[in-house]
Amino acid sequence: MDKYVIHGGESLKGSVRISGSKNAALPLMVASLLTDGDVILHNVPHLIDVEVLIKLLSRLGKSITFKGHTVHIREIGVKKIEAPYELVKKMRASVIVLGPLLARHKHCRVSLPGGCAFGPRPIDLHIKGLSKLGAKIKIDHGYIDARVSQLRGASMILAGKYGSSVLATDNVLMAAALAKGTTVIETAALEPECVELMRMLVKMGASIDGIGTSVVRIKGVKKLTGVEYTIIPDRIEAGTFLAAALATRGNVTITDCEPEHLMSVLEIIAGMGAVVKIGRTEIEIKQHKALKAFSAKAMPYPLFPTDLQAPFTSLACTVSGVSTIAEGIYPDRFTHVAELGRMGATIDVEGNTALVHGGKKLVGCDVQASDLRNGAALVVAGLCASNTTSVHRIYHIDRGYDKFEEKLTALGASIEREKDSIL
Ligand code: EPU
């Protein structure tokens, strides 16, 4: 296992290129299961999650090459239609192979994803949606066993008490694309990654109306073709670099990003008093005066993303006054708070809201990542803390940030990857 050793205190300076989106790349790669044609994807980030998915797709009859940032997926003959526990437990998103496997093979077995470090992550909406399309689903020895003789279009609401589900929308979309008749998802997720899946499916021959709105109509077709497609920039990576730039009071330009996907984040940053210059694919952050405390509430897109809640909590620690950060999607997603407390942060969590009493210098120490975004938050904290911060268990961070330490080093940070003796 590796750790990051960070000597904090350097203001980040310069420009950094944003990689392709993890949460877009994963479903777009999975959509290759819907066709026997070749799927070629550009701007795919180098991440552990992508590697895990390549292993899973290989088990499901695909041959995959990954050169530069291009993934080429070819069908070589499906032998097994099972997504095993050892791969699904490493990456919950694997559950979206259910929809396409059912659509093409009428039967599949997918391991139940199991627990998650930041609270319950049920899959009832996935099961509800696929059942509405006619699938017979049972849970058998830790596996979801799904069968159908013919998927048939249906109308459905795919939202729980915290709103629409991104991956349940993806799962149903892919199954409905090859179903008989029309499916209406009344509460489709609006996240850009989900919209990209719809756009790519259309390029593969699917018939989908209402893309980018919450009511999506999918008219099933008999066959989908191969496709060549470019992955959108990662808005969460972009937001993490913005948080790191602000936390270290740096002047940073992020390039190759999609500013439109970050409007809620940019509004908060502008409200803090930073100078933000927005170009077509670039965002420049400059700081001329003291930053102000802020309020943020993580909610479904286009509101503030839950995946930036933890990095922005670290940022709030550096700003005088009380910042209020609420979590409206995963009410228990506060595992970073105790670790930030070890670095000297004063944060009270009341219900789903963190009250961050900021302005006190963080002090480096040993901290431990327990999921991807809390790991990123600890790196942001380490970059602005005094002394040395060692972030353990960075395999969580490797799941979702492409060349993280290289990019931060190029911005002037002192961060090194070392072998870790603490497991
Ligand atoms: N939910 C249910 N039942 C379900 C599915 C979800 O109640 O069957 C609830 C969840 O518990 C949550 C809410 O619905 O309260 C929304 O969860 P959603 O299903 O949208 O999450 P997801 O699709 O499993 C994706 C991202 C997450 C991101 C969330 C929310 C991928 C691979 N994952 O997960 O990304 O936090 O949407 O935006 O796209 C990450 O990248 O670190 C990450 C966790």
Side-chain angles (χ1 to χ4, degrees):
M1 255 194 242
D2 292 345
K3 65 178 173 184
Y4 279 145
V5 177
I6 305 168
H7 302 289
E10 298 296 335
S11 292
L12 300 187
K13 282 189 188 65
S15 72
V16 57
R17 183 188 178 278
I18 299 305
S19 298
S21 159
K22 165 179 89 77
N23 289 347
L26 299 175
L28 269 58
M29 287 172 69
V30 168
S32 66
L33 293 170
L34 289 165
T35 177
D36 58 8
D38 286 11
V39 171
I40 301 170
L41 298 171
H42 302 291
N43 201 29
V44 178
H46 283 270
L47 304 170
I48 298 287
D49 273 11
V50 169
E51 280 172 27
V52 171
L53 184 56
I54 287 176
K55 279 197 187 125
L56 178 55
L57 293 176
S58 309
R59 295 240 190 156
L60 297 172
K62 299 289 179 179
S63 154
I64 298 139
T65 57
F66 191 1
K67 284 197 191 127
H69 287 97
T70 298
V71 165
H72 193 141
I73 308 173
R74 300 176 179 85
E75 185 142 301
I76 49 167
V78 184
K79 291 192 199 84
K80 256 196 145 172
I81 40 166
E82 179 170 298
Y85 176 66
E86 73 259 27
L87 293 176
V88 178
K89 77 168 178 171
K90 287 191 180 142
M91 189 182 65
R92 300 181 55 84
S94 311
V95 74
I96 55 168
V97 301
L98 251 180
L101 287 179
L102 249 188
R104 267 203 68 213
H105 307 291
K106 315 289 183 215
H107 173 221
C108 64
R109 280 169 62 80
V110 176
S111 170
L112 276 168
C116 170
F118 56 78
R121 307 252 326 252
I123 56 155
D124 56 303
L125 297 172
H126 300 244
I127 290 177
K128 172 183 169 183
L130 295 172
S131 303
K132 282 254 178 194
L133 298 182
K136 299 276 170 272
I137 298 182
K138 59 177 188 190
I139 305 299
D140 172 35
H141 291 86
Y143 276 73
I144 307 160
D145 183 284
R147 283 170 199 273
V148 72
S149 48
Q150 173 65 62
L151 288 169
R152 286 182 195 280
S155 291
M156 64 186 77
I157 290 182
L158 276 185
K161 62 178 170 177
Y162 301 110
S164 301
S165 163
V166 177
L167 292 179
T169 304
D170 289 351
N171 231 337
V172 169
L173 267 175
M174 289 191 274
L178 289 177
K180 199 165 185 174
T182 299
T183 298
V184 183
I185 307 177
E186 305 275 358
T187 51
L190 298 173
E191 272 66 11
E193 298 77 15
C194 203
V195 170
E196 282 305 296
L197 174 62
M198 296 185 212
R199 291 191 176 134
M200 190 178 91
L201 289 173
V202 168
K203 231 181 145 190
M204 294 169 76
S207 165
I208 308 178
D209 280 341
I211 295 177
T213 74
S214 54
V215 182
V216 171
R217 298 174 73 83
I218 309 120
K219 199 163 155 229
V221 295
K222 285 215 164 72
K223 197 169 161 60
L224 294 174
T225 63
V227 67
E228 186 162 356
Y229 206 83
T230 300
I231 306 292
I232 52 169
D234 195 312
R235 64 193 167 101
I236 306 302
E237 186 200 18
T240 304
F241 276 103
L242 294 177
L246 289 162
T248 61
R249 305 300 187 265
N251 292 328
V252 169
T253 302
I254 58 169
T255 71
D256 300 84
C257 64
E258 178 52 85
E260 195 163 318
H261 294 163
L262 287 155
M263 283 307 161
S264 59
V265 178
L266 294 173
E267 207 169 280
I268 288 169
I269 292 175
M272 294 175 74
V275 179
V276 185
K277 218 166 112 192
I278 303 173
R280 204 171 57 81
T281 58
E282 290 186 354
I283 301 170
E284 184 185 356
I285 296 273
K286 280 192 182 158
Q287 299 172 61
H288 297 308
K289 52 185 181 189
L291 294 177
K292 292 192 286 243
F294 61 92
S295 292
K297 179 164 187 189
M299 293 290 282
Y301 188 83
L303 300 178
F304 185 74
T306 173
D307 295 337
L308 287 176
Q309 185 258 108
F312 271 68
T313 302
S314 298
L315 166 60
C317 293
T318 71
V319 178
S320 293
V322 181
S323 293
T324 309
I325 303 182
E327 176 54 68
I329 296 183
Y330 299 112
D332 302 319
R333 198 175 195 180
F334 288 109
T335 47
H336 46 289
V337 166
E339 297 300 293
L340 291 174
R342 303 191 72 250
M343 299 176 75
T346 307
I347 305 173
D348 298 322
V349 177
E350 292 173 6
N352 70 342
T353 303
L355 301 171
V356 185
H357 304 268
K360 223 169 35 158
K361 185 90 181 151
L362 296 174
V363 181
C365 63
D366 287 288
V367 285
Q368 178 166 298
S370 56
D371 79 73
L372 168 58
R373 308 302 174 187
N374 100 341
L378 297 176
V379 170
V380 171
L383 292 172
C384 52
S386 60
N387 305 328
T388 302
T389 301
S390 295
V391 183
H392 301 277
R393 300 200 166 188
I394 60 170
Y395 59 87
H396 289 292
I397 301 174
D398 293 336
R399 285 189 41 220
Y401 289 88
D402 190 358
K403 300 193 179 61
F404 202 28
E405 70 268 26
E406 278 176 42
K407 290 183 179 186
L408 286 167
T409 303
L411 292 173
S414 169
I415 174 168
E416 264 156 42
R417 178 182 289 263
E418 290 181 7
K419 286 275 163 250
D420 198 356
S421 53
I422 302 180
L423 298 182

